[in-house]
Amino acid sequence: MNKAPYIWMDGEFVSWDEAKVHILTHTLHYGNGVFEGTRAYQTEKGLAIFKLREHTKRLLNSAKITLIKPNFDLETLEKAQVELLQKNKFKGNVYLRPLIYLGYGVMGLYHAKAPVNTAIAAWEWGTYLGEEGLEKGIKVKISSFVRSSVKSTMGKAKAAANYLNSQMAKSEAVDCGYEEALLLDSEGFIAEGSGECFFIVRDGVLISPPNDTSLESITQGMVIE
Ligand SMILES: Cc1ncc(COP(=O)(O)O)c(C=O)c1O
């Protein structure tokens, strides 16, 4: 992984190697934490964050869905992301990973009294499915795993726990010789990829499923717009 000098943790810039948590961090055990994956691209005017506001809003909305009270507001989180990029002086394209998590001090399932922490990491990271994948395309397997339901596992939240579903689907696909998994909902309709939204061109028309059982994709929203 491409280390960067700093990670933002609860309002402080901490050096990458010192950005640590206690082993009894609540989220580590029960999976209730929410995050984002936001890209920043080098432009003639410097690094530009793609849809910063939309991603930060979705982060806070995911927290709301999973009953976490964020310890920072929208404006502070946006500012922190911009400052983190400035401070790290990146040369290439960057991936930003804000994470709101339940920290150390309370164990047990009832999480309401667990402390809430926020961290933002950023590092230089290439395209998700590789440059070759972009040029030549990839093989996608329809997964035997059903996309997490909105009613049982808060499927609309970009929550750490929901990525167990994605991980299993991805592993199954890779083990079977594919590069990515496409998940269907419990009715058998296409929901989304293990880590991305889905589009298909059929008879010259671009089609993408509704977000009833998938994350509300910012990329999908932008393409449709
Ligand atoms: C499960 C899942 N669905 C869809 C997406 C696409 O979302 P976006 O286009 O906002 O990055 C992602 C990526 O974050 C994802 O992890």
Side-chain angles (χ1 to χ4, degrees):
M1 140 155 248
N2 290 320
K3 278 191 194 179
Y6 297 104
I7 289 181
W8 186 94
M9 291 181 89
D10 293 316
E12 310 279 331
F13 289 101
V14 179
S15 80
W16 181 280
D17 291 328
E18 296 303 318
K20 295 175 182 166
V21 293
H22 195 278
I23 193 64
L24 293 180
T25 295
H26 200 281
T27 299
L28 212 52
H29 297 255
Y30 303 109
N32 191 4
V34 295
F35 65 89
E36 269 305 316
T38 310
R39 293 275 176 180
Y41 300 99
Q42 293 291 350
T43 70
E44 281 169 11
K45 293 186 194 161
L47 264 182
I49 304 178
F50 176 73
K51 301 271 183 196
L52 173 63
R53 169 122 320 167
E54 285 80 354
H55 278 282
T56 313
K57 270 190 177 170
R58 190 171 67 184
L59 177 74
L60 294 175
N61 202 33
S62 295
K64 188 174 172 188
I65 294 171
T66 61
L67 304 178
I68 295 177
K69 290 197 183 86
N71 56 340
F72 290 95
D73 63 16
L74 182 79
E75 285 72 28
T76 310
L77 291 172
E78 284 182 351
K79 194 164 164 268
Q81 290 172 87
V82 171
E83 284 176 5
L84 183 66
L85 295 191
Q86 287 165 341
K87 218 168 151 61
N88 278 326
K89 300 189 173 35
F90 292 109
K91 301 269 182 301
N93 295 336
V94 174
Y95 181 88
L96 277 149
R97 165 55 58 84
L99 169 72
I100 303 179
Y101 61 102
L102 301 171
Y104 165 77
V106 172
M107 288 303 265
L109 286 183
Y110 186 63
H111 72 282
K113 295 211 168 76
V116 177
N117 296 109
T118 303
I120 308 168
W123 64 94
E124 291 185 15
W125 203 9
T127 52
Y128 184 56
L129 292 162
E131 288 300 328
E132 202 185 318
L134 270 187
E135 268 177 38
K136 296 188 182 156
I138 55 158
K139 284 195 288 175
V140 177
K141 180 184 188 327
I142 296 198
S143 184
S144 71
F145 292 92
V146 174
R147 170 67 168 93
S148 294
S149 124
V150 174
K151 278 161 79 180
S152 59
T153 56
M154 313 300 117
K156 282 214 175 292
K158 197 168 167 68
N162 282 334
Y163 283 84
L164 183 58
N165 181 242
S166 291
Q167 275 185 41
M168 297 301 107
K170 177 85 178 185
S171 288
E172 179 194 54
V174 171
D175 289 350
C176 292
Y178 297 79
E179 275 92 32
E180 182 54 303
L182 180 61
L183 288 97
L184 311 184
D185 65 19
S186 57
E187 306 290 310
F189 294 107
I190 288 175
E192 61 182 350
S194 75
E196 62 285 297
C197 62
F198 180 78
F199 286 94
I200 191 170
V201 178
R202 195 173 67 183
D203 298 333
V205 179
L206 187 65
I207 302 172
S208 192
N211 295 132
D212 298 358
T213 49
S214 59
L215 189 71
E216 285 177 16
S217 160
I218 292 161
T219 314
Q220 185 196 39
M222 193 211 64
V223 170
I224 291 169
E225 195 183 300

